[in-house]
Amino acid sequence: RCTGPVSPPPTWRTRLTAVARHPRVGLAGKAALAATLSWWVALQLPDPASTYAFYAPFGAVATMYPTVVGSFRESVRSLAAITLGALLALAVDAALGPGVLVVGLVVVLGVLLGGLRALGDHRVYVPVVGLFVLVLGQGHELDYAAAYAGLFALGAAVAMGVNALLPSFPLRLVDGALAGLRAGLVSHLLYLAEQLDERLDGDGHGEREDEVERQGVGRPHLAEPTARARDVVDHLLEAARANRRARRHLPAVRAAQDGFRALERVGLLVEDLYDLLEDRPWG
């Protein structure tokens, strides 16, 4: 069997460059920038907003997502959850007045309302914000609720602005994921070819096949790179929306999408070949 040239081991500079280019590093930098900017802006606001200025960087970090569209979507969800929790606390407080049982009632109703699917992962804000409004905003519930929601919205707006100015575009990740999927398909096809050769030659279910099956080589290993490639391609498609950097890379985006679809179809055919090998239609 022929093998290609062996690649030299990566140097420390190569590894450092790979780490610096990792999307998580860029996301961390943008979150830090958005938190700092929103904190500075909030401190310039008059009271009572400046008293609760720390909610602005909290909103910036909570709504900073890898894509511009993702930041906008999660900002809307989080603000909806915060508003719902604040309105719930204000309504219960106005109807029943302060008291220990009111806190429990707001938490119960907040957890129930948090079950709304539209809120996504931010559903926990409903009971938490309701609790904060009652406990931390005692006597000034309306002012506290307005400051919380307003400053969180300020942080979210800054996060969206930073994300729009410095959008991420994970084209390198897609290339790596598709290469991994392609390599996985090749290894499966080579294995299937060898097994088919042995069976057509009359060797039957050989020792090598038993060993490979005991090691778990087969369908599970193919499913993992396929799922990873699908996630990365879906992320790329979302990152391309409302992204000024994506305009000059639209052919590459379409090529990545078409390439994944082609490899996915090959994966289904590989599954069919496994079934064919198990059925042994040749006798």
Side-chain angles (χ1 to χ4, degrees):
R1 180 178 298 176
C2 296
T3 58
V6 179
S7 301
T11 63
W12 66 270
R13 288 185 178 180
T14 305
R15 293 174 179 173
L16 187 61
T17 302
V19 170
R21 288 178 175 175
H22 195 279
R24 199 70 186 177
V25 175
L27 181 65
K30 290 191 291 185
L33 177 61
T36 303
L37 290 175
S38 59
W39 171 252
W40 180 82
V41 172
L43 290 175
Q44 314 307 312
L45 299 177
D47 287 334
S50 59
T51 305
Y52 304 106
F54 52 88
Y55 285 125
F58 170 62
V61 174
T63 57
M64 177 59 72
Y65 278 74
T67 65
V68 179
V69 173
S71 283
F72 177 77
R73 180 180 60 245
E74 300 306 323
S75 295
V76 172
R77 288 177 173 176
S78 59
L79 288 172
I82 289 171
T83 303
L84 191 58
L87 291 176
L88 172 63
L90 293 174
V92 173
D93 182 70
L96 303 178
V100 177
L101 295 179
V102 172
V103 172
L105 179 60
V106 167
V107 171
V108 168
L109 295 177
V111 172
L112 292 175
L113 289 174
L116 294 173
R117 187 174 300 177
L119 300 178
D121 294 334
H122 302 284
R123 57 175 58 91
V124 70
Y125 287 154
V126 180
V128 169
V129 172
L131 190 61
F132 280 6
V133 169
L134 289 179
V135 176
L136 300 181
Q138 284 184 356
H140 307 280
E141 288 85 355
L142 184 58
D143 290 341
Y144 177 85
Y148 191 125
L151 289 168
F152 192 98
L154 170 64
V158 173
M160 285 187 289
V162 170
N163 225 349
L165 290 174
L166 304 171
S168 61
F169 194 61
L171 201 55
R172 292 178 181 270
L173 285 181
V174 173
D175 293 339
L178 292 182
L181 177 56
R182 191 177 297 110
L185 289 169
V186 168
S187 64
H188 279 271
L189 287 170
L190 288 173
Y191 166 71
L192 283 165
E194 292 177 2
Q195 291 304 312
L196 188 60
D197 245 355
E198 291 179 7
R199 295 191 180 189
L200 290 178
D201 289 342
D203 292 343
H205 194 76
E207 294 180 1
R208 185 178 181 280
E209 184 180 357
D210 290 333
E211 180 184 353
V212 172
E213 288 182 354
R214 283 197 300 271
Q215 292 174 354
V217 176
R219 304 180 191 184
H221 285 110
L222 191 57
E224 183 179 344
T226 303
R228 179 175 178 271
R230 181 183 296 109
D231 291 341
V232 173
V233 170
D234 289 344
H235 178 66
L236 177 68
L237 294 177
E238 182 176 287
R241 297 170 59 189
N243 189 333
R244 58 186 179 83
R245 287 181 57 193
R247 295 172 185 171
R248 61 179 182 272
H249 295 295
L250 289 180
V253 174
R254 286 192 288 268
Q257 188 178 18
D258 294 341
F260 170 71
R261 287 175 178 171
L263 292 174
E264 190 177 32
R265 286 194 296 271
V266 173
L268 296 175
L269 295 174
V270 169
E271 296 288 351
D272 290 342
L273 287 174
Y274 270 107
D275 293 336
L276 180 66
L277 200 63
E278 291 174 2
D279 291 342
R280 306 184 187 187
W282 48 83

